[in-house]
Amino acid sequence: MSLVHLAVALTAASLALYALMMFLFARAMWRRRGKGRPPVDRAPRVTIFKPLAGWDDDLDANLDSFARIDYPSFEILIGVASADDPAYGAARRFLARHPRLDARIVLTDRDATVNPKVAQLVGLERVATGDVYVISDSNVRVPPTYLWSLVAELSDERVGMACSIFIGTGERSLGAALENLEICTHATPGLVAMDAVTDRPLTVGKSMAIRRRDIARLGGFRPVGDVLAEDHALGRRILDAGLVARTSLAAVENRNVDCSVERTLERHTRWSKMRRALFPVAFACEPIMTPIVIASAGLAIAPGKVTAAILGGTFLLQTTAAQVAVRAVRGSWLHWRYLPLEVVRSYVMLLCWARACISRRIEWRGNAFTMKRGTVIVPVASAADRSASRARLAA
């Protein structure tokens, strides 16, 4: 086989896999179109866990969306590890704006577990009163029917966990546009497609619900406190207990407004490292799911008119598919000025993938960790900590 034939075959395979993912995604979204709120026999009391750390884009407006939830009985527990955290001020303003809301701030112990988010969940669990726990990240904005969509999934007693799909919205900077495009055109379509072909779907903690009795039976949140991908670990524990996980196609917004390209690179490099630690074989194959990357490699190994034409056609096809995906999840087209960004996104995500191949160190929530297999995280001592330790030993 000549190099040209190899380049054509690899690009064709990549396009076929990409098309299959988009087909499964589009079919699922189309089937949901026009469906109203699913019928639910009862509305169990819900506790919403909101672990906050630092400042996220549109944090005040994100919190306000939870005050507009239409559901008969729920409480909001806002976890903050320190009153000095900027998120603490946002939480207090939220409570002041909505004094009739059943909501309160809980100061949590940041040292309860290695994973700082799980440490907050452990603290919030102690005071929760709901029969259903809903965990929602700080950069999430929700519709009024949010809780109904998750409770409806849990109305089936076989279901132990329900996760919402999420869409990136609000971009005003290049970094935010890249972030939102990745979410809308790759992360969410991949999540929905995976849900369609396996009975062990990915469980993503951006927005997830679990019954109080089920999490208690599994020992609470503390057993997953030493891993970075606590959402994946909880999902596996639920599945191993004989329950199933469901993905709700009622989307929540993941707000990314003014973030920098550097922050987007850091976040997606961290996510790539997580996937490498969880699914090393699938991680190694990830680039083939981006036809632009494969077609570019084809042109590099076999320069010529044929491979150049294939790359041009691939640019057009993938960019069009990305626009359609954004329209499907957000209800509106991506602004015209971002049309070329799908090409840029493809190469940026390849860079994140490559960075994940050479390092296991991550920076998250102001902490440095080394990540091991299964996303087990080990704190990395700072230079000051190491100096203090050497001084104690010398003394």
Side-chain angles (χ1 to χ4, degrees):
M1 179 184 289
S2 69
L3 288 178
V4 172
H5 289 146
L6 177 62
V8 171
L10 288 175
T11 303
S14 179
L15 284 167
L17 290 171
Y18 180 77
L20 177 61
M21 178 184 76
M22 286 301 186
F23 168 75
L24 293 172
F25 166 66
R27 184 179 65 173
M29 298 303 292
W30 179 263
R31 286 178 174 176
R32 185 187 179 276
R33 184 187 293 269
K35 291 184 179 180
R37 194 185 81 191
V40 181
D41 294 334
R42 57 183 294 268
R45 179 166 172 80
V46 173
T47 297
I48 300 174
F49 291 23
K50 291 293 294 184
L52 304 184
W55 185 260
D56 285 288
D57 290 350
D58 282 357
L59 180 57
D60 286 319
N62 295 342
L63 291 172
D64 283 340
S65 71
F66 286 80
R68 295 188 288 271
I69 288 176
D70 176 18
Y71 191 81
S73 178
F74 70 97
E75 65 177 347
I76 303 174
L77 301 180
I78 303 174
V80 184
S82 169
D84 295 327
D85 193 307
Y88 182 75
R92 293 196 62 179
R93 291 193 299 272
F94 170 68
L95 297 185
R97 289 193 299 272
H98 307 284
R100 296 184 179 180
L101 197 63
D102 186 356
R104 58 175 163 149
I105 300 170
V106 179
L107 287 174
T108 58
D109 178 9
R110 71 178 69 200
D111 297 320
T113 65
V114 179
N115 182 318
K117 178 181 176 181
V118 177
Q120 290 185 303
L121 297 180
V122 168
L124 297 177
E125 184 185 11
R126 293 196 185 103
V127 296
T129 63
D131 297 314
V132 171
Y133 294 162
V134 169
I135 304 165
S136 173
D137 282 357
S138 55
N139 57 7
V140 164
R141 185 177 299 184
V142 301
T145 56
Y146 172 56
L147 293 183
W148 287 112
S149 66
L150 292 172
V151 167
E153 300 293 347
L154 292 180
S155 64
D156 183 342
E157 290 296 319
R158 298 170 301 171
V159 178
M161 177 180 288
C163 300
S164 308
I165 64 168
F166 52 102
I167 57 176
T169 62
E171 63 277 351
R172 289 202 299 258
S173 67
L174 178 59
L178 280 169
E179 179 90 28
N180 291 338
L181 193 61
E182 167 66 11
I183 291 171
C184 292
T185 67
H186 191 81
T188 293
L191 179 66
V192 174
M194 181 68 70
D195 191 55
V197 299
T198 179
D199 59 356
R200 294 177 70 88
L202 298 175
T203 50
V204 180
K206 188 66 64 178
S207 165
M208 64 193 305
I210 187 170
R211 294 185 195 87
R212 179 193 189 107
R213 69 169 188 261
D214 292 331
I215 191 68
R217 184 154 56 99
L218 297 175
F221 295 104
R222 194 177 292 275
V224 299
D226 64 343
V227 299
L228 184 64
E230 83 290 334
D231 46 4
H232 172 81
L234 279 172
R236 298 311 98 173
R237 288 170 68 82
I238 284 289
L239 294 171
D240 292 343
L243 298 169
V244 299
R246 290 263 178 87
T247 301
S248 169
L249 297 183
V252 300
E253 294 184 54
N254 183 172
R255 296 290 291 180
N256 296 290
V257 181
D258 295 311
C259 63
S260 65
V261 173
E262 181 182 6
R263 197 206 72 169
T264 297
L265 280 169
E266 184 276 330
R267 176 180 291 182
H268 285 280
T269 298
R270 184 175 76 246
W271 289 358
S272 291
K273 290 176 181 179
M274 289 169 60
R275 295 193 300 274
R276 179 192 175 196
L278 291 171
F279 315 109
V281 175
F283 170 80
C285 299
E286 279 185 10
I288 201 170
M289 292 300 297
T290 307
I292 286 174
V293 167
I294 300 303
S296 299
L299 180 62
I301 64 173
K305 292 182 179 180
V306 172
T307 49
I310 289 173
L311 178 58
T314 303
F315 280 169
L316 180 61
L317 287 171
Q318 190 173 320
T319 299
T320 301
Q323 272 284 350
V324 172
V326 171
R327 177 67 174 80
V329 295
R330 299 205 323 195
S332 60
W333 301 103
L334 192 67
H335 195 280
W336 63 267
R337 69 175 177 271
Y338 294 130
L339 281 177
L341 209 56
E342 175 62 10
V343 177
V344 178
R345 183 204 65 81
S346 299
Y347 296 129
V348 167
M349 293 305 131
L350 178 65
L351 174 61
C352 294
W353 180 87
R355 291 173 70 186
C357 291
I358 59 176
S359 171
R360 292 183 179 272
R361 182 188 172 101
I362 61 167
E363 304 281 344
W364 183 53
R365 291 196 173 197
N367 301 281
F369 301 102
T370 298
M371 185 160 54
K372 299 183 177 181
R373 188 175 181 84
T375 76
V376 172
I377 47 178
V378 178
V380 176
S382 66
D385 291 338
R386 290 193 295 269
S387 296
S389 177
R390 284 195 295 268
R392 286 194 298 270
L393 290 173

